Amino acid sequence: MSVDPVVEIGFGNERSNTRKLNTGEFLVKWGLISIAVSYLGLVLFFPVLNVVYVAFAKGIEPALEVFKNQDFFSAAQLTLLVAVVSIPLNTVFGLCAAWVIARNRFRGRTLLISIIDLPFSISPVVAGLMIVLLYGKNGWFGPFLEQINLQIVFAIPGVVLASTFVTMPFVAREVIPILEEVGTSEEESARTLGANDWQIFSRITVPNIRWGLLYGVLLTNARAMGEFGAVSVVSGSLAGKTQTLPLFIEEAYKNYQSQEAFTASLILGLLALVTLVLKEILERFGHTSQIKV
Amino acid sequence: MTLAQNLPKRRFKFPFAWVVTWAYLLVMLLIPIGAMLLKAATSSPQEFWEKATSDIALSAYDVTFVTALYAAIVNGFFGTLLAWVLVRYEFPGRKIVDAAVDLPFALPTAVAGITLATVYAPNGWIGQLVEPLGIQLAFNRTGVFIAMVFISLPFVVRTLQPVLQEMEKELEEASHCLGATNWQTFWRVQFPPLIPPILTGIVLGFSRSVGEFGSVVIIASNIPFQDLIAPILIFQRLEEYDYVGATVIGTVLLLISLILILIINFLQRWGQKYVG
């Protein structure tokens, strides 16, 4: 790279990307942009486009064929059920944990933060293994569960449990920084005006953290619906019974039913797209609400 | 702390949030971890060591950690480049590129797995380009690498972006005024504070890659001693009802994730020195 010794320097408030670039800098800029975008193309854009392409390669009608498949429907139902159970559980937990961490100073606070983050670092397969060792037939609670005739592993409760495990930290993670940023002054004013705990929580705290909370819920949903590793350990992948959409996709792909696999992938992929679009929108809202405060 | 002032008045109230947090963590997280460690403790240290260092396990660690390290380093380089381009330059489509970086977080790994396997297979869009050269990208160790690169892509970009955004313009200008070239300014002034966030991103990506299952199981052939990674070995042991074998390798992976958490905490504290 040839460097022009006489560099144009932006004084004052001028920003580097608004000032005029000399030829060398111009080449560097577009060179770097093209390398970065090509890399993303290779790793992200081509594979994502490929999902759409394979799903519709034979036309629209074969693509819609999957909707006649009963296993697909029960997989979609189970996937929704997983989200419906794990979101409220992890939201209640996330709010409580965020309040404990952001509003209290106590010994072991950093340790608690690390513990809450643990499910992100533990391999999903290890998470599934833990559930099997605890609730499986030969697990610690196995005999007891057999007595009360409740099957968790290789049944729907196990699938729900595994998905809840891997999505545990999302809400807490998103809410903690916001709670810390808004501070306690509004909550204290409400208390001096005679509000009780519930009133403070529902009328002051929740409105303040709503965008972060919503984003946390969104991430929980995306991950819960898409979880594969932990679920495949505990589910046994019985078609029509304990199969979620990701497991359905894997089985269809392995059985060379790539049409069904890719249509189902497209549907799950749209979930990812919606998540990203909503994220952009929420960030904008979050930004404006911060300016108001 | 205002909270401390409130405490005496509220001492007898039921600390609801506190109880929910610990009860949930206990039931959902700590008891399961305890169950695994207890199970691991049922085998003697000697037996544990033998199972943890069997040939097949050692080869699985090798594939897992070495490949995850390559993927993390590649993303360390390209992630830095991406963050730099996204923060410093204005170009058409920048917002879309920025949003797309999060795709690996949002896209279910099974979807990532089947589409990567299709694109990089010998007859796929990218696979067919290198197939005449005798290079196969999917269903071997390279496939594992590709899946790991995909899922760990966002980490370096997302840890680096905020640091780049907050970097003081004055330092760079001062460096130019003192006669430094662009290149000198980058290496001597701009780059050093970026080292901690880049390393944090690399370790976060590495940690994610080490635990990955979904996309790898689809794009690899999962043959022992070739491209079998440790999480998939656990899965196979479970399928053979070898619970002790699965637990031993699971415990090894758990200990490694704990070590990685310590390293990440250390790196983040180091990075905060530059911010302060």
Side-chain angles (χ1 to χ4, degrees), chain A residues 202-245:
Chain A
S202 60
R203 305 223 185 135
I204 309 287
T205 314
V206 170
N208 271 339
I209 58 171
R210 63 185 186 274
W211 303 119
L213 177 62
L214 218 63
Y215 184 44
V217 168
L218 209 64
L219 288 174
T220 309
N221 180 52
R223 182 76 199 268
M225 286 189 162
E227 178 51 28
F228 182 77
V231 169
S232 64
V233 172
V234 297
S235 120
S237 197
L238 302 167
K241 282 188 181 139
T242 62
Q243 205 171 47
T244 59
L245 271 183

Side-chain angles (χ1 to χ4, degrees), chain B residues 74-112:
Chain B
V74 166
N75 274 328
F77 176 77
F78 284 103
T80 308
L81 183 66
L82 262 167
W84 181 268
V85 161
L86 287 173
V87 172
R88 308 277 301 203
Y89 300 137
E90 198 60 60
F91 58 94
R94 188 181 65 90
K95 283 225 165 103
I96 294 173
V97 171
D98 195 5
V101 168
D102 274 337
L103 252 179
F105 283 156
L107 197 71
T109 49
V111 177

Side-chain angles (χ1 to χ4, degrees), chain A residues 1 3 7 9-12 14-17 19 25 28-30 32-33 35-37 39-51 53-54 86 89-90 92-93 96-97 99-100 103-106 110 112 114-116 118-126 129-135 138 140-141 154 161 164-165 168 184 188 191 197 215 222-223 225-226 228-229 232-233 246 249-250 253-254 261-262 264-265 268-269 271-273 275-276 279-280 284, chain B residues 1-3 6 9-10 13 16-18 20-22 24-25 27-36 38-39 42 74-75 78-79 81-82 84-85 87-92 95-97 99-111 114-120 125-126 139 146 149-150 153 158 169 172-173 176-177 180-183 207-208 210-215 217-218 222 231-232 234-235 238 243 246-247 250 253-254 257-258 261 265 269:
Chain A
M1 167 183 129
V3 179
V7 185
I9 300 156
F11 285 105
E14 219 176 339
R15 290 174 54 201
S16 75
N17 50 12
R19 82 188 154 92
E25 285 174 324
V28 169
K29 172 185 168 180
W30 287 101
L32 292 180
I33 291 176
I35 297 172
V37 172
Y39 179 69
L40 275 190
L42 217 57
V43 180
L44 282 186
F45 296 140
F46 275 124
V48 168
L49 281 178
N50 180 65
V51 175
Y53 173 77
V54 181
S86 59
L89 281 179
N90 284 333
V92 172
F93 161 72
C96 290
W99 185 86
V100 166
R103 288 284 180 270
N104 299 280
R105 291 290 175 274
F106 52 92
T110 343
L112 180 61
S114 300
I115 292 178
I116 290 172
L118 262 182
F120 281 165
S121 331
I122 294 176
S123 169
V125 177
V126 176
L129 170 70
M130 288 172 181
I131 291 171
V132 171
L133 292 175
L134 201 56
Y135 303 108
N138 302 313
W140 299 108
F141 295 159
F154 304 132
L161 209 57
T164 310
F165 181 99
M168 207 186 292
T184 56
E188 279 157 33
R191 187 170 302 285
D197 283 354
Y215 184 44
R223 182 76 199 268
M225 286 189 162
F228 182 77
S232 64
V233 172
I249 291 172
E250 193 219 9
Y253 179 75
K254 284 206 167 143
F262 274 92
S265 289
L268 267 188
L271 168 78
L273 194 70
T275 307
L276 292 190
K279 182 203 162 193
E280 290 296 311
R284 217 157 291 163
Chain B
M1 207 61 231
T2 43
L3 194 105
N6 286 340
K9 265 185 269 170
R10 295 159 52 77
K13 280 211 168 163
F16 177 73
W18 186 263
V20 170
T21 303
W22 281 108
Y24 194 76
L25 281 177
V27 172
M28 291 293 297
L29 185 65
L30 300 175
I31 292 180
I33 291 177
M36 188 173 80
L38 266 179
K39 181 80 180 172
T42 55
V74 166
N75 274 328
F78 284 103
L81 183 66
L82 262 167
W84 181 268
V85 161
V87 172
R88 308 277 301 203
Y89 300 137
E90 198 60 60
F91 58 94
K95 283 225 165 103
I96 294 173
V97 171
V101 168
D102 274 337
L103 252 179
F105 283 156
L107 197 71
T109 49
V111 177
I114 71 167
T115 188
L116 286 172
T118 313
V119 168
Y120 286 93
W125 286 352
I126 296 170
F139 313 115
I146 289 168
V149 164
F150 177 90
L153 179 112
R158 290 298 181 238
K169 197 86 193 71
E172 193 185 330
E173 282 163 7
H176 281 309
C177 287
T181 63
N182 279 348
W183 194 239
S207 154
R208 174 74 209 265
V210 163
E212 177 58 13
F213 174 80
S215 51
V217 79
I218 294 173
N222 307 313
I232 299 174
I234 297 176
F235 188 81
L238 273 175
Y243 290 100
T247 306
L253 279 194
L254 178 72
S257 7
L258 293 179
I261 291 175
N265 279 343
R269 225 167 286 163

Side-chain angles (χ1 to χ4, degrees), chain B residues 172 175-176 180-191:
Chain B
E172 193 185 330
S175 160
H176 281 309
T181 63
N182 279 348
W183 194 239
Q184 284 171 328
T185 305
F186 177 75
W187 278 115
R188 305 263 179 94
V189 178
Q190 292 169 299
F191 189 65

